[in-house]
Amino acid sequence: MAVIPFMRRAKKKTKSNRKEKGEQKKGRKKREKREKEVPKTFREDMAPREENTKSTDRVLRISQLDALELNKALEQLVWSQFTQCFHGFKPGLFARFEPEVKAFLWLFLWRFTIYSKNATVGQSVLNIQYKDSFSQSLRYQPPSKNQKIWYAVCTIGGRWLEERCYDLFRNHHLASFGKLKQCANFVVGLLKLGGLINFLIFLQRGKFATLTERLLGINSIFCRPQNAREVGFEYMNRELLWHGFAEFLIFLLPLINIQKLKAKLSSWCIPLTGASNSDSTLATSGKECSLCGEWPTMPHTIGCEHIFCYYCVKSSFLFDMYFTCPKCGTEVHSVQPLKSGIEMSEVNVP
């Protein structure tokens, strides 16, 4: 009889063990499903992040074009500084050898920029450098020595050859040189057409700003990873407000009659006791023009006691039909010359 409860207990334990094992299997299956699902979601989340990093690491088109413009500005600055060193010498000292001198200067710049630092001066300012696009490694691969040398040949040698051929064909007018000139012009036209096509492709894809870069397989990348640009609009708002205010003043000022405003202000500040229209008052107060402040040339009046030069009052009246005297505020009724007798008495006044 004691064996029966023992058997019942053993059966209960086996049942509980079976349940625990089943639950453990179910838990393992759920964990495996979760582990399978987690990498998918993780990859889905990482995909847009990788795209964003690629988009931030990609060099902007405007940055590449700015680097080219900075290089041109640097070349002009170096050439102007070099010519100023020989400002006191005979004019046209380097006229015959100008292409060679320029090529030597550009070669000097190439040696200490692209050859040594893998970037031009403009690219260094904008945190850009060249990379060998033919290499398939994920790490940064600088341009090879052959690529750098061919870059100098295509850029510096090409410009030197173009200038030297232009001088050669300009000084010789033989038939053989005419055929060579046509061939050279044809080659230059093809190169310019190729540069135009390359520029259109560059605007679409954003790589290889020049034809030389595309042929040599070197493209521009950032030297250091770029962070997301945070644009502050405080300066922009301030500039917009200032430009709007300046445009408003430019529109408003021509509509204001400054001379009439001055006359009104002067009449308010300096009250007049009374104006006499007699000839004696004209003679005593007519020692200077009321507009220019000098001795009146061809003195005229406008109906008040003040005297004006003919050119001063006539130009002011033609400019403003409602011209008034700047001292008393009298409107112009008619511009009349001063009488000769009064003018002579004015001359005789001590």
Side-chain angles (χ1 to χ4, degrees):
M1 297 297 291
V3 176
I4 294 171
F6 177 76
M7 294 294 292
R8 289 177 181 174
R9 290 174 186 173
K11 288 181 181 179
K12 289 181 180 179
K13 287 181 180 180
T14 55
K15 287 181 181 179
S16 61
N17 291 331
R18 288 175 184 174
K19 289 181 181 179
E20 289 177 358
K21 290 180 180 179
E23 290 177 357
Q24 288 178 359
K25 288 181 180 179
K26 289 180 182 179
R28 289 174 184 174
K29 290 180 180 179
K30 289 180 180 179
R31 289 174 184 174
E32 290 176 355
K33 288 181 181 180
R34 290 175 182 174
E35 289 176 357
K36 290 179 180 179
E37 291 177 357
V38 166
K40 293 181 181 179
T41 56
F42 183 73
R43 289 172 185 173
E44 291 176 357
D45 293 336
M46 288 298 294
R49 293 180 183 177
E50 290 177 357
E51 292 177 357
N52 292 330
T53 54
K54 288 180 180 179
S55 62
T56 53
D57 291 339
R58 183 182 300 172
V59 180
L60 300 176
R61 296 171 179 84
I62 189 64
S63 299
Q64 300 182 48
L65 296 177
D66 287 341
L68 295 176
E69 293 298 326
L70 287 173
N71 294 332
K72 293 179 182 177
L74 175 68
E75 291 177 356
Q76 293 178 359
L77 180 62
V78 170
W79 179 247
S80 63
Q81 293 290 333
F82 181 80
T83 53
Q84 287 179 3
C85 295
F86 300 92
H87 182 71
F89 290 82
K90 182 180 178 180
L93 182 63
F94 294 104
R96 295 177 58 186
F97 308 102
E98 183 175 345
E100 285 75 15
V101 174
K102 284 185 176 180
F104 176 77
L105 291 175
W106 308 157
L107 190 64
F108 182 79
L109 291 175
W110 167 83
R111 171 61 183 83
F112 292 99
T113 54
I114 297 177
Y115 188 81
S116 60
K117 297 182 180 179
N118 303 321
T120 61
V121 177
Q123 289 177 337
S124 300
V125 172
L126 299 174
N127 189 26
I128 301 172
Q129 63 182 357
Y130 279 130
K131 176 189 175 183
D132 186 4
S133 61
F134 291 149
S135 64
Q136 298 179 357
S137 63
L138 298 177
R139 295 183 179 180
Y140 169 72
Q141 292 293 331
S144 63
K145 186 176 181 180
N146 292 330
Q147 287 176 330
K148 295 176 183 178
I149 293 173
W150 278 108
Y151 183 88
V153 171
C154 294
T155 55
I156 302 172
R159 283 187 291 179
W160 170 81
L161 186 62
E162 183 180 0
E163 293 179 1
R164 183 50 67 193
C165 289
Y166 177 76
D167 294 337
L168 183 64
F169 296 145
R170 183 181 60 183
N171 296 328
H172 297 82
H173 301 283
L174 299 177
S176 60
F177 282 99
K179 293 180 181 180
L180 289 174
K181 184 178 180 180
Q182 291 179 358
C183 294
N185 291 333
F186 180 74
V187 172
V188 171
L190 285 178
L191 290 175
K192 289 184 178 180
L193 180 61
L196 176 61
I197 296 172
N198 176 77
F199 184 71
L200 295 176
I201 298 173
F202 164 74
L203 292 178
Q204 183 182 6
R205 299 182 181 179
K207 292 180 67 177
F208 305 113
T210 60
L211 183 61
T212 305
E213 295 177 2
R214 186 175 295 276
L215 293 176
L216 297 177
I218 52 177
N219 62 330
S220 300
I221 62 169
F222 283 118
C223 301
R224 295 178 296 275
Q226 296 291 308
N227 297 324
R229 295 182 63 185
E230 297 180 359
V231 181
F233 295 98
E234 295 181 358
Y235 176 77
M236 190 180 296
N237 293 334
R238 191 161 55 247
E239 288 294 320
L240 289 174
L241 287 174
W242 171 248
H243 285 296
F245 182 69
E247 290 179 357
F248 176 72
L249 289 179
I250 291 171
F251 172 76
L252 185 64
L253 286 177
L255 302 178
I256 300 175
N257 192 344
I258 299 175
Q259 294 181 350
K260 192 172 183 179
L261 184 62
K262 285 182 179 180
K264 287 185 178 181
L265 290 175
S266 62
S267 62
W268 292 343
C269 296
I270 305 173
L272 298 174
T273 56
S276 60
N277 294 326
S278 62
D279 294 341
S280 59
T281 56
L282 282 173
T284 55
S285 64
K287 295 181 180 180
E288 62 179 16
C289 175
S290 299
L291 288 174
C292 64
E294 298 181 357
W295 188 271
T297 304
M298 299 175 63
H300 281 64
T301 62
I302 59 173
C304 63
E305 62 178 352
H306 301 101
I307 307 299
F308 303 89
C309 299
Y310 172 74
Y311 296 105
C312 295
V313 69
K314 194 66 177 179
S315 60
S316 300
F317 181 68
L318 291 175
F319 178 75
D320 183 14
M321 297 297 293
Y322 301 99
F323 172 73
T324 57
C325 179
K327 291 190 175 181
C328 63
T330 303
E331 294 185 357
V332 178
H333 299 288
S334 61
V335 180
Q336 298 177 356
L338 193 65
K339 295 180 181 180
S340 59
I342 298 174
E343 188 174 359
M344 293 300 297
S345 64
E346 181 186 357
V347 173
N348 293 327
V349 170

